[in-house]
């Protein structure tokens, strides 16, 4: 019987706002699914985007708003926000507390998260720098992800104004 290994000792990673920690093994090759724990601090959002990989978000605590294509919906503890591969989606924490999630996705997307995530201990306070955002954008586009423009985000109620 294969041994189940939980990688909860790995340092959390910052994904330009949300913080993730891998909780299942993630080999460098192969297919299948992996699980991350995620913390989405209050006020943090993920702009509209799409990728071929399915993502399923199980809300453990707090409330989050999820956008699937053109419809926003509120999800609370015990609910599931399921995003099929290729669907345009976004999410935002508009509550007054952090939101804790389990994220179930493909190993390919998990490896992408690990490649672009920054160790939380190395992330300076404040918003990400333009260089950090540019590296994240370039890596996303290189993977074939679709990233919404400023206008695409404004059309669904997300402001990407950078001060």
């Amino acid at each position: 019987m294969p041994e189940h290994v939980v990688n909860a000792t790995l340092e959390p990673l910052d994904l330009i706002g949300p913080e993730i920690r891998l909780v299942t093994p993630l080999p460098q090759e192969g297919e299948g699914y992996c699980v991350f724990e995620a913390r989405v601090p209050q006020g943090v959002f993920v702009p509209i985007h799409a990728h071929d990989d399915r993502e399923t978000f199980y809300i453990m605590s707090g409330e989050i708003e999820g956008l699937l294509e053109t419809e926003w919906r509120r999800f609370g503890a015990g609910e599931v926000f399921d995003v099929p591969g290729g669907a345009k989606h976004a999410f935002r924490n508009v509550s007054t507390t952090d939101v804790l999630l389990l994220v179930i996705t493909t190993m390919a997307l998990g490896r992408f998260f690990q490649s672009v995530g920054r160790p939380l201990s190395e992330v300076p306070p404040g918003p990400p720098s333009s260089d950090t955002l540019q590296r994240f954008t370039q890596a996303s586009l290189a993977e074939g992800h679709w990233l919404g423009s400023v206008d695409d985000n404004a059309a669904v109620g997300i402001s990407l104004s950078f001060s």
Side-chain angles (χ1 to χ4, degrees), residues 122-155:
E122 298 175 14
V123 176
S129 69
S130 59
D131 286 346
T132 298
L133 291 172
Q134 186 174 6
R135 280 192 301 277
F136 185 88
T137 298
Q138 289 172 345
S140 295
L141 295 174
E143 288 292 314
H145 301 172
W146 175 83
L147 302 177
S149 67
V150 170
D151 290 340
D152 293 326
N153 279 279

Side-chain angles (χ1 to χ4, degrees), residues 1 16 149:
M1 173 183 267
I16 316 293
S149 67

